[in-house]
Amino acid sequence: QSALTQPPSASGSPGQSVTFSCTGTSSDIGGNNYVSWYQQHPGKAPKLMIYEVSKRPSGVPDRFSGSKSGNTASLTVSGLQAEDEADYYCSSYAGARVFGGGTKLTVL
Amino acid sequence: QVQLQESGPGLVKPSQTLSLTCTVSGGSFSSGDYYWSWIRQPPGKGLEWIGYIYHSGRTYYNPSLKSRVTISIDTSKNQFSLRLSSVTAADTAVYYCARLLTIFGVVSMGEFDYWGQGTLVTVSS
């Protein structure tokens, strides 16, 4: 199975919104609603931010939201804060678990 | 609160076997809703799923690693383990154990909701 495709970088100023994309195929993202997103700060373990395309675990701010259209999933971070600067990975199921290559978010 | 902790050697020689154990505390280790997983991250690179195991012992592996990977489970100790044989420098990575939370144990569903802190394994002579 191939990895999901994410842009390598994204940026925004505090208070702005930024959206990351995660592109797959009809065999993964397009074929199920089990897309999840993970936030990873340097030297730390990934943290679940979004599951089942758009659901937030307890404790994740509602500034984080997810969506999907066709073979592409998206994560939007609204009201950017300095602590949102991190790497973000998407994941789905395609007969096996696949991850995207990650997007590094810089808060300007 | 569920906690996962990886343990094992931080240095492995090329061609040898990498062995790691993950100890789980809190929660129900033998619940049918969980798959116990290994994921790795080479330095400066992205995440790669290695495989997972159900409490029954059923395993699923990444096809690209399947010939070298063995994941086992010891429910009496709340532990699961990874063995990766014939390692090379390309296997140098931070290795994470994680819990895949599913719905009724359906492996195509779910997400990784708890992660260990990760352990760096370097393959070098």
Side-chain angles (χ1 to χ4, degrees):
Chain A
Q1 74 285 7
S2 300
L4 307 174
T5 300
Q6 297 184 247
S9 63
S11 62
S13 299
Q16 289 186 333
S17 293
V18 63
T19 297
F20 314 127
S21 64
C22 172
T23 302
T25 69
S26 58
S27 297
D28 39 63
I29 291 177
N32 67 75
N33 286 323
Y34 292 94
V35 179
S36 50
W37 290 89
Y38 303 86
Q39 177 192 65
Q40 186 180 35
H41 288 108
K44 300 294 186 181
K47 174 187 175 183
L48 178 65
M49 303 300 284
I50 294 287
Y51 67 101
E52 292 179 24
V53 175
S54 60
K55 298 180 180 178
R56 277 188 311 277
S58 174
V60 173
D62 61 5
R63 303 185 294 104
F64 291 84
S65 61
S67 62
K68 188 186 86 166
S69 177
N71 298 336
T72 298
S74 299
L75 173 70
T76 297
V77 185
S78 305
L80 272 175
Q81 299 182 4
E83 61 261 34
D84 299 332
E85 185 163 295
D87 294 325
Y88 292 84
Y89 294 91
C90 59
S91 179
S92 186
Y93 180 80
R97 293 285 157 173
V98 289
F99 287 95
T103 297
K104 182 177 183 60
L105 171 62
T106 300
V107 180
L108 302 171
Chain B
Q1 180 74 347
V2 177
Q3 292 186 312
L4 294 87
Q5 178 68 56
E6 305 89 351
S7 59
L11 180 64
V12 181
K13 289 181 166 54
S15 79
Q16 294 191 342
T17 296
L18 178 161
S19 295
L20 295 173
T21 295
C22 182
T23 302
V24 180
S25 58
S28 175
F29 186 72
S30 296
S31 167
D33 290 335
Y34 308 138
Y35 283 80
W36 301 101
S37 313
W38 289 99
I39 295 161
R40 69 180 183 178
Q41 185 173 36
K45 296 188 178 181
L47 301 168
E48 180 181 34
W49 173 70
I50 298 171
Y52 36 53
I53 189 166
Y54 200 49
H55 66 87
S56 63
R58 182 168 186 176
T59 53
Y60 298 82
Y61 298 136
N62 186 325
S64 68
L65 297 170
K66 187 175 183 178
S67 64
R68 297 193 293 131
V69 173
T70 302
I71 297 176
S72 58
I73 193 166
D74 186 340
T75 54
S76 67
K77 295 181 179 179
N78 283 13
Q79 292 179 334
F80 62 104
S81 299
L82 169 70
R83 288 173 58 85
L84 181 66
S85 64
S86 305
V87 298
T88 69
D91 295 309
T92 293
V94 174
Y95 285 76
Y96 294 101
C97 57
R99 188 180 81 173
L100 181 78
L101 172 62
T102 72
I103 300 174
F104 305 125
V106 178
V107 73
S108 59
M109 302 178 177
E111 57 282 335
F112 300 103
D113 63 340
Y114 285 98
W115 297 65
Q117 65 185 24
T119 187
L120 174 62
V121 178
T122 301
V123 178
S124 175
S125 56

